[in-house]
Amino acid sequence: MRPESSGRWLSAMSPGPACAGFIVGIALQLQQPALWPAGWYGAAILPGCAAAGLLLCFGGRAQMAWWCRAGLMFTLAAMLGFGVTGWRAGVFQSSALSPALEGRDIEVTGSVLAMPQPGEDGVRFRLGIESARLDGRTVTLPPQILLGWYSGFAGREAPVPAQDADPFEAALALQRQPQPLRAGERWQMTVRLKAPHGNSNPNGFDYELWLWEQGLQATGYVRAGVHDAPPTRLSTSWQYPIEQARQTVRDAIFQRIENRQMAGVIAALVVGDQNAIERADWDVFRATGVAHLMSISGLHITMFAWAASLLIGGLWRKSARLTPRLCLALPAGAAGALGGLALATLYALFSGWGVPAQRTIWMLAVVILLRQGGRQWPWAQTWLLAMAVVVVLDPWALMQAGFWLSFVAVGVLFATDSGASSQDGDWAGGRSGTEEKPDSRWKLLRWPAWLAGLAGALREQWVVTLALTPLSLLLFNQVSLVGLLANAVAIPLVTLVVTPLALLGVLWAPVWLAAAWVVSVLVLFLQWLASWPWASVSVAAAPLWCAVAGVAGGGLLATRLPWGWRALGIPLLLPVLLWQPASVPAGQFELLAADIGQGNAVLVHTANHTLLYDAGPKFSRESDAGHRVLVPLLRALGDRLDVLMVSHRDIDHIGGAAAVLAMQPGARLMSSIEETHPLQALRKASRCVAGQRWEWDGVAFEVLHPAAEDYGAGNKSNAMSCVLRISNGNRTALLVGDIESPQELRLATANPAALKADVLLVPHHGSKTSSSAVFLDAVKPQWAVVQAGYRNRFGHPVDSVVARYEERGIRLVKSPQCGAATWQSRQPDIFRCQREEGKRYWHHVPER
């Protein structure tokens, strides 16, 4: 092959098809429910590499049409992306936690890898494992694990719990309190581990994917009770200087700023500690569409790189007066671009090297290196190459919402900018300083520089808002209607004032007070916006094609084309804005048992009404099933609650109720809670009393328990559980809360015919105090749903209870194995499991 022929071949080859093919190959691999054997992925890698090499060496001799070359490169790159990603996943999965080690007390020695995350109930941290022993023998654990060291209830005045206290709370009260942890310290401690396992709900957050992407293959907690060996700090080291510096700065911020609310925002902007921001503030930031500004995002990294490049470029030019050889060796523009990239990388590392920061650094690196190498590629090819580089380093980023928001925003800005192909004024290009001045005759036609810059910034914000609104609706089922106004104020304030002041505070701490004051003013403004009616709107989750059409429509509206063409974008926006999921037919009903861990939460749908039975547990003082699971689920389903029925006051049933009621102002609350319960202040509850009955869309709802006289009898909370019967005349479901054997006997003897049901919510999560034989014989369900946490501390459902159901041929549906479970009265023989329908290879498959 002659050199000139090879040159023509290579020059004719565009990187676009190869980059697109590589990305598509990775995207296809991420859809696999289970991994193939490693050899199968090798079969995709080796032929692809060999064919690509042959194509590069001998392709110039073949007369091949451009579309044929592009298709071939696309296919080969797709095979390579698919194979490499599958092989990497297999290697990572090979070091997973052995099921035999779950729930065992293991003595580990390891180092704290990152800045610990303190909370009201303890501290969470990553531990790099050096050694592990179980019963005196060495065992193998994953290289990194995520641990919690919980504080228990030592802060109470009475260290000894009451006799009727929860056994787990009693154990926590006697826990040794967490000691201060710092990155780099080596510890020896006893831990109890389990495989990564998260809640699996429709359109819910994939916690197991997040752990996978973070390189964490086990979670657990420190055993620090009175019968456990005390955790011991072995030594300290300087192996993790950046993490130690981050922790030092974070501690200094909280010491300097008394207002923890403001200190949390400053800490998030300086060291990337998003957990420092209070949940109420996150709600405001999301409602106003500025959440992306309150953590280290691509915008912060890019602005930092831009400012650093201007500073370094200016200093480089001034240095020419002293040593001209510097500018001769490296132009000032190039020095500024490379220096800005280097400093931005250091900033990203200091902020925790989060996934959004990594994406931005790799994107900037690709663009800058291309420009410095003299490559003048069209924007689409540069965009695809940057995306390919990001997914080479982190293939699972394709499953993250932030990835698509970042790249779609950049792509739309490029596509709608009439000067996108021009390199003038691009700091990444590094102009040499010999630039030609614009013709003076245009000066009279130009706006003032500040006004032109403001107009450009407003136009870019408008373009991004139009394009990303449909995508945001797909990813989050919510969009802020005040976001354009909020961002117009918050973007310049946060990026040009707050963030620089916060970073300067690292050098001189009093500056943090000024940054905190600015943040407090901004938060007041955002809270005012969030209080507006219709500040944000929610829509039901739409299919992917709706979002693609919506992004295309928004981008078309934002272009500089004539309005006749731009108006074609309006119908493309309608599907994602108006999408509604299929409703339940009249006379039928549907149950969705949400995956909320150890607790109850069942959605009941009829044709035009929705009831939520129980609201799941409160996981900690900072988190509950309402915020974490139920509110996003209701938003994704497009549900408007008519009734929230809280069976009783136990925390695993009422924990998420406040969040649900705040999101659903029109919902009526029914419960057996006492008049003095704090939830009564949020929404006055009407008592559920046996005999209450109503009908929705041909479906009858009837309360079977408790009786009116039970409210004055001083019963335990479980005995006061509201029992709800739902029937359309052909099919029946029975939701029973935490009733125990005495209440089961009472119901079974009073009216056994009313108990007959097709679906039963297993009483008390499968506790040994419930699911009595007489009760099961009266109900005779075809299905029984157990809502219990994976490896929960109570052992629910207990083996004896499971055996009782199996003896009667009742099919058990367990939330740890099934995830969210859906049953429809018109298809009574089918239970759909979210964990099976949405299965990916990184998802945990618990043993049944």
Side-chain angles (χ1 to χ4, degrees):
M1 182 175 179
R2 295 192 303 271
E4 60 273 16
S5 175
S6 175
R8 286 195 301 270
W9 168 258
L10 291 173
S11 63
M13 290 175 59
S14 164
C19 292
F22 191 81
I23 295 166
V24 169
I26 291 176
L28 290 174
Q29 195 280 329
L30 297 183
Q31 306 308 309
Q32 287 192 285
L35 290 175
W36 294 342
W40 293 21
Y41 294 112
I45 297 173
L46 295 178
C49 292
L54 292 173
L55 190 62
L56 289 173
C57 293
F58 303 106
R61 298 180 182 178
Q63 298 299 321
M64 193 180 299
W66 69 268
W67 57 268
C68 188
R69 291 198 302 270
L72 189 57
M73 290 303 297
F74 180 93
T75 303
L76 295 175
M79 292 174 61
L80 184 62
F82 185 95
V84 169
T85 304
W87 177 79
R88 287 178 59 182
V91 170
F92 181 71
Q93 196 176 68
S94 65
S95 59
L97 179 70
S98 169
L101 298 178
E102 289 189 275
R104 306 292 301 276
D105 289 347
I106 305 173
E107 181 185 284
V108 300
T109 301
S111 299
V112 180
L113 299 178
M115 179 176 68
Q117 298 292 330
E120 293 183 2
D121 293 324
V123 61
R124 294 177 68 83
F125 61 99
R126 301 187 187 196
L127 191 72
I129 300 298
E130 298 175 9
S131 64
R133 298 181 66 83
L134 174 63
D135 298 331
R137 59 184 176 86
T138 301
V139 294
T140 301
L141 295 182
Q144 296 184 32
I145 60 177
L146 180 65
L147 293 175
W149 189 348
Y150 300 110
S151 58
F153 302 90
R156 294 177 178 174
E157 293 182 2
V160 179
Q163 292 182 355
D164 61 346
D166 184 288
F168 184 69
E169 293 189 5
L172 281 178
L174 300 176
Q175 281 255 116
R176 297 183 180 92
Q177 297 304 294
Q179 299 181 36
L181 297 173
R182 298 196 68 82
E185 292 179 343
R186 293 181 66 249
W187 281 80
Q188 186 177 74
M189 54 183 60
T190 302
V191 301
R192 187 170 289 184
L193 302 177
K194 64 180 180 180
H197 187 93
N199 300 321
S200 179
N201 292 286
N203 304 103
F205 175 69
D206 194 338
Y207 179 63
E208 293 167 39
L209 173 62
W210 181 84
L211 289 172
W212 176 286
E213 193 173 19
Q214 298 294 317
L216 298 167
Q217 293 176 286
T219 63
Y221 60 93
V222 177
R223 297 280 292 172
V226 292
H227 301 297
D228 301 303
T232 305
R233 182 188 292 109
L234 301 177
S235 62
T236 59
S237 71
W238 289 94
Q239 291 182 345
Y240 305 96
I242 294 179
E243 290 298 322
Q244 291 171 350
R246 294 179 65 218
Q247 189 171 355
T248 299
V249 170
R250 184 188 64 184
D251 293 345
I253 291 172
F254 278 93
Q255 289 175 3
R256 173 66 61 168
I257 304 173
E258 295 182 0
N259 187 325
R260 294 187 63 84
Q261 181 185 14
M262 300 302 106
V265 176
I266 300 301
L269 293 174
V270 176
V271 299
D273 186 6
Q274 297 186 36
N275 292 323
I277 298 180
E278 297 181 1
R279 188 174 66 186
D281 290 330
W282 276 124
D283 292 340
V284 172
F285 298 153
R286 292 189 183 101
T288 53
V290 301
H292 63 102
L293 296 174
M294 301 306 168
S295 59
I296 306 300
S297 65
L299 178 62
H300 295 94
I301 301 296
T302 304
M303 291 296 293
F304 186 89
W306 170 75
S309 70
L310 292 181
L311 177 62
I312 293 174
L315 294 175
W316 200 270
R317 289 187 183 93
K318 290 185 178 180
S319 70
R321 301 175 184 174
L322 301 175
T323 54
R325 293 181 180 179
L326 283 178
C327 284
L328 292 175
L330 186 65
L338 295 174
L341 176 63
L343 291 180
T345 302
L346 290 176
Y347 178 37
L349 287 170
F350 188 75
S351 66
W353 197 237
V355 174
Q358 292 180 41
R359 284 197 300 264
T360 305
I361 291 297
W362 302 134
M363 290 171 63
L364 290 175
V366 168
V367 174
I368 291 172
L369 294 178
L370 280 177
R371 301 289 169 80
Q372 296 306 313
R375 303 287 184 181
Q376 301 294 325
W377 286 1
W379 70 265
Q381 293 185 22
T382 303
W383 183 71
L384 280 173
L385 179 61
M387 187 183 293
V389 168
V390 170
V391 298
V392 163
L393 298 167
D394 180 13
W396 299 278
L398 281 174
M399 304 297 294
Q400 301 293 343
F403 175 89
W404 294 106
L405 291 172
S406 298
F407 276 100
V408 169
V410 172
V412 168
L413 286 175
F414 270 130
T416 58
D417 184 3
S418 61
S421 61
S422 171
Q423 310 305 323
D424 290 316
D426 189 344
W427 65 271
R431 292 186 295 179
S432 63
T434 58
E435 55 196 275
E436 183 178 335
K437 293 183 179 180
D439 195 321
S440 60
R441 64 186 175 183
W442 293 103
K443 289 183 179 180
L444 294 176
L445 301 178
R446 304 176 82 181
W447 290 2
W450 68 270
L451 192 58
L454 177 62
L458 290 175
R459 180 187 177 276
E460 288 183 357
Q461 182 62 38
W462 169 247
V463 168
V464 170
T465 300
L466 271 179
L468 293 190
T469 293
L471 189 59
S472 298
L473 289 174
L474 174 73
L475 297 172
F476 308 117
N477 312 118
Q478 183 182 27
V479 67
S480 173
L481 297 184
V482 298
L484 190 62
L485 175 58
N487 278 279
V489 175
I491 287 178
L493 202 60
V494 172
T495 56
L496 301 179
V497 179
V498 176
T499 302
L501 287 175
L503 293 175
L504 283 175
V506 177
L507 302 177
W508 191 45
V511 179
W512 281 329
L513 298 176
W517 181 84
V518 178
V519 169
S520 65
V521 174
L522 176 61
V523 168
L524 288 175
F525 172 69
L526 296 176
Q527 289 174 341
W528 175 64
L529 289 181
S531 66
W532 288 11
W534 298 95
S536 63
V537 295
S538 301
V539 298
L544 180 61
W545 68 266
C546 291
V548 173
V551 171
L556 190 60
L557 282 171
T559 60
R560 301 177 184 272
L561 294 172
W563 272 106
W565 288 99
R566 294 161 73 176
L568 296 177
I570 296 177
L572 293 175
L573 288 170
L574 295 180
V576 73
L577 296 175
L578 303 179
W579 175 265
Q580 290 294 326
S583 60
V584 179
Q588 304 290 341
F589 66 99
E590 176 183 277
L591 305 181
L592 192 159
D595 186 6
I596 40 78
Q598 184 70 21
N600 281 154
V602 181
L603 271 172
V604 184
H605 292 111
T606 66
N608 299 296
H609 296 275
T610 304
L611 176 144
L612 176 61
Y613 183 87
D614 280 339
K618 187 172 185 178
F619 305 116
S620 68
R621 296 184 181 96
E622 303 166 333
S623 178
D624 59 66
H627 279 98
R628 188 186 293 183
V629 177
L630 297 176
V631 167
L633 178 62
L634 291 169
R635 185 177 293 130
L637 297 176
D639 281 340
R640 180 184 60 81
L641 278 187
D642 296 279
V643 172
L644 169 61
M645 178 176 285
V646 177
S647 63
H648 60 299
R649 63 178 172 84
D650 282 5
I651 198 63
D652 56 334
H653 297 255
I654 202 171
V660 172
L661 291 175
M663 182 231 185
Q664 299 281 344
R668 183 164 63 97
L669 177 62
M670 294 182 67
S671 182
S672 63
I673 59 175
E674 61 275 17
E675 294 292 334
T676 57
H677 194 282
L679 193 63
Q680 296 274 14
L682 183 62
R683 190 80 46 87
K684 188 66 175 176
S686 59
R687 285 182 172 179
C688 52
V689 180
Q692 290 174 330
R693 180 183 173 90
W694 68 94
E695 185 173 309
W696 287 341
D697 309 312
V699 179
F701 293 76
E702 183 179 3
V703 177
L704 303 182
H705 181 81
E709 57 269 19
D710 291 333
Y711 281 93
N715 293 318
K716 294 194 308 181
S717 62
N718 285 351
M720 295 299 295
S721 295
C722 302
V723 175
L724 181 65
R725 182 179 185 269
I726 308 161
S727 179
N728 64 353
N730 296 317
R731 302 296 173 186
T732 302
L734 195 62
L735 310 181
V736 297
D738 280 355
I739 61 171
E740 298 180 343
S741 297
Q743 294 77 48
E744 293 177 347
L745 178 62
R746 175 176 161 183
L747 288 169
T749 55
N751 188 4
L755 290 185
K756 181 69 176 70
D758 300 274
V759 178
L760 170 67
L761 180 63
V762 172
H764 204 178
H765 321 288
S767 167
K768 62 183 179 181
T769 62
S770 303
S771 298
S772 59
V774 64
F775 182 71
L776 295 183
D777 290 339
V779 179
K780 297 179 181 178
Q782 178 183 2
W783 297 95
V785 180
V786 182
Q787 287 189 298
Y790 175 65
R791 299 193 66 86
N792 64 85
R793 64 182 184 265
F794 308 104
H796 293 163
V798 299
D799 293 340
S800 59
V801 170
V802 171
R804 211 171 293 152
Y805 282 90
E806 292 176 345
E807 289 169 1
R808 290 161 174 77
I810 302 169
R811 288 180 280 185
L812 278 176
V813 179
K814 304 176 186 177
S815 55
Q817 288 80 23
C818 181
T822 303
W823 178 86
Q824 298 174 329
S825 60
R826 64 183 183 276
Q827 294 180 314
D829 297 328
I830 299 174
F831 241 108
R832 300 198 335 264
C833 291
Q834 177 64 29
R835 194 167 281 275
E836 295 175 1
E837 293 184 351
K839 188 176 185 307
R840 297 293 184 269
Y841 57 80
W842 55 80
H843 288 154
H844 179 225
V845 182
E847 297 180 357
R848 295 187 179 273

